[in-house]
Amino acid sequence: MQDRLNQLQEEALLQIEAASSLKELQDVRVAYLGKKGPITEVLRGMGKLSEEERPLVGALANEVRGKIAERLQEKQVLLEAEAVQKKLAEESIDVTLPGRPVPQGNDHPLTRIVQEIEDLFIGLGYTVEEGPEVETDYYNFEALNLPKDHPARDMQDSFYITEETLMRTQTSPVQARTMEKHKGKGPIKIICPGKVYRRDNDDATHSHQFMQIEGLVVDENIRMSDLKGTLEVFAKKIFGADRKIRLRPSFFPFTEPSVEMDVSCKICGGDGCSVCKGTGWIEILGAGMVHPNVLRMSGFDPEKYSGFAFGMGPERIAMLKYGVDDIRHFYTNDVRFLKQFSPVDSSTEK
Ligand code: 2NL
């Protein structure tokens, strides 16, 4: 009996040694220590032994079982550690591999130009004001010295919603509202960017919806020279320090006198080319001294206060600055167009 147990121990230890996976080890455990295993069998047969032999065999059987269990446990720890190592080796990550580029979006070119212009005027002490796109006839026209019979109020030219409300045709109503809020007391220094609407047929240079940025300064002793200096700073910042400006007489119902500003052509340097149509100058915006009627209607005393105002189209500015030949590119959102305004090198993107 003792020999049988010693032999079982030897066999079991060899098989434990040989086991190369946790599965194999489990098979060895079942084979030797399981309920139907040989050691259990020996213990069952102990009843046939003599009084002297029984404790000896019992003790040995327990010892053998303990030893096998101990080695099984040791081997299990070993195999588990090996399995972890193998898994780690297989799943290792090469941290030196270059990362996949993440496609990055960019601001819309119009957003960019509007922000650039806002930043410039904020730097000059202006604040940005916004207002409703659905306006009343009063703020869109009446308060801007466009009386009821004025041709600009033609139903054919504006999107009317009711007799008295329409989609604003300019951002000036925001300025009229702001003046009203100031209750006749200056100073006011604001710019008003936003969408405006006109009943136009869309083509390369017209759109029924477009953007406008208007500026307004109202205070005591505001003069034409303040307007000219402001516009010059604006033109040089947006188009380049070597640009020149000129003012030509013009007409707007809300300003008197009124002017249009040209910037010297960057393409030909003033000699004349196809972009400036041979004149050396490019028209950028309209401006003027706020009409006394406009000041009065919004609660300012024209004897005490004066002001200047200007209005421009960011689409036109962006078209000139970036060389865009069709205003519709700004609204159709073709990524091939939009990507060209990415601040990162788009050629490196996948
Ligand atoms: C243009 C011309 C202009 C204004 C807008 C204005 C606003 C108030 C009072 C007086 Cl509240 N004027 N705005 C003045 C002159 C010209 O816009 O060609 N825009 C694209």
Side-chain angles (χ1 to χ4, degrees):
M1 216 57 145
Q2 274 112 321
D3 287 350
R4 170 85 179 118
L5 281 171
N6 283 326
Q7 192 196 344
L8 278 174
Q9 175 174 319
E10 205 170 308
E11 269 176 35
L13 295 188
L14 278 172
Q15 285 194 29
I16 289 168
E17 202 55 49
S20 60
S21 70
L22 288 164
K23 166 86 177 67
E24 279 177 38
L25 196 68
Q26 181 60 12
D27 291 345
V28 177
R29 185 193 309 275
V30 173
Y32 286 89
L33 303 185
K35 276 197 194 97
K36 291 175 189 151
I39 295 175
T40 315
E41 209 174 290
V42 170
L43 289 172
R44 267 202 208 106
M46 283 209 329
K48 297 191 196 107
L49 296 176
S50 65
E51 288 286 328
E52 302 89 63
E53 257 187 319
R54 205 176 292 150
L56 291 175
V57 171
L60 183 62
N62 278 332
E63 192 190 314
V64 166
R65 194 158 55 177
K67 191 121 193 173
I68 292 173
E70 189 185 320
R71 291 295 282 276
L72 276 168
Q73 181 58 27
E74 284 170 13
K75 183 77 181 192
Q76 177 159 348
V77 170
L78 200 79
L79 286 177
E80 276 171 358
E82 271 178 18
V84 169
Q85 284 305 321
K86 189 160 166 256
K87 205 164 175 199
L88 280 175
E90 278 170 358
E91 293 179 0
S92 74
I93 295 164
D94 182 354
V95 291
T96 66
L97 275 174
R100 280 193 204 103
V102 180
Q104 210 186 353
N106 55 271
D107 284 337
H108 190 281
L110 270 181
T111 305
R112 239 169 98 178
I113 214 87
V114 170
Q115 280 176 357
E116 209 176 306
I117 294 168
E118 282 177 5
D119 286 350
L120 158 68
F121 281 103
I122 288 167
L124 294 175
Y126 290 62
T127 54
V128 178
E129 291 287 341
E130 289 182 2
E133 289 177 21
V134 176
E135 258 303 354
T136 60
D137 180 275
Y138 175 79
Y139 286 112
N140 195 75
F141 292 130
E142 196 83 30
L144 295 159
N145 203 30
L146 282 133
K148 288 262 188 258
D149 56 356
H150 196 281
R153 293 173 67 146
D154 197 327
M155 301 288 282
Q156 304 295 313
D157 297 332
S158 314
F159 290 110
Y160 273 87
I161 291 160
T162 66
E163 283 271 306
E164 289 299 319
T165 53
L166 72 161
M167 301 307 291
R168 67 182 180 194
T169 58
Q170 45 198 359
T171 52
S172 326
V174 183
Q175 292 160 302
R177 286 171 179 276
T178 307
M179 279 196 281
E180 217 176 70
K181 264 191 247 158
H182 274 72
K183 302 204 181 299
K185 210 173 156 332
I188 293 175
K189 275 178 94 173
I190 55 169
I191 54 161
C192 307
K195 288 196 238 28
V196 298
Y197 303 81
R198 301 223 179 137
R199 270 175 81 161
D200 252 334
N201 288 319
D202 294 3
D203 63 25
T205 54
H206 295 85
S207 172
H208 62 283
Q209 181 210 289
F210 55 102
M211 284 200 76
Q212 212 182 15
I213 302 180
E214 282 188 64
L216 173 74
V217 173
V218 177
D219 203 354
E220 293 175 32
N221 299 316
I222 296 295
R223 294 170 303 194
M224 192 83 179
S225 53
D226 298 313
L227 170 63
K228 193 177 176 192
T230 304
L231 294 181
E232 190 157 10
V233 168
F234 160 77
K236 286 181 187 291
K237 172 79 195 315
I238 299 298
F239 294 104
D242 51 346
R243 300 297 78 173
K244 289 188 188 58
I245 66 158
R246 77 174 182 188
L247 301 181
R248 283 180 289 104
S250 185
F251 175 81
F252 300 108
F254 24 83
T255 47
E256 181 60 37
S258 303
V259 294
E260 269 170 293
M261 181 183 82
D262 297 340
V263 171
S264 59
C265 182
K266 190 166 84 177
I267 315 288
C268 62
D271 297 338
C273 68
S274 65
V275 174
C276 59
K277 298 190 187 79
T279 64
W281 295 93
I282 296 170
E283 187 189 319
I284 298 297
L285 54 75
M289 301 309 289
V290 180
H291 198 291
N293 287 351
V294 174
L295 286 171
R296 201 176 297 117
M297 271 185 285
S298 294
F300 278 81
D301 178 2
E303 296 297 329
K304 188 175 174 203
Y305 284 101
S306 54
F308 68 71
F310 55 85
M312 67 183 104
E315 284 89 348
R316 184 170 163 75
I317 310 273
M319 284 169 86
L320 291 167
K321 191 167 164 153
Y322 302 129
V324 176
D325 62 5
D326 193 320
I327 195 170
R328 289 168 292 194
H329 281 310
F330 293 120
Y331 315 118
T332 44
N333 288 330
D334 184 331
V335 267
R336 292 168 301 183
F337 171 74
L338 297 175
K339 266 175 98 162
Q340 297 176 58
F341 301 91
S342 172
V344 297
D345 179 2
S346 56
S347 68
T348 61
E349 282 177 42
K350 290 270 148 56

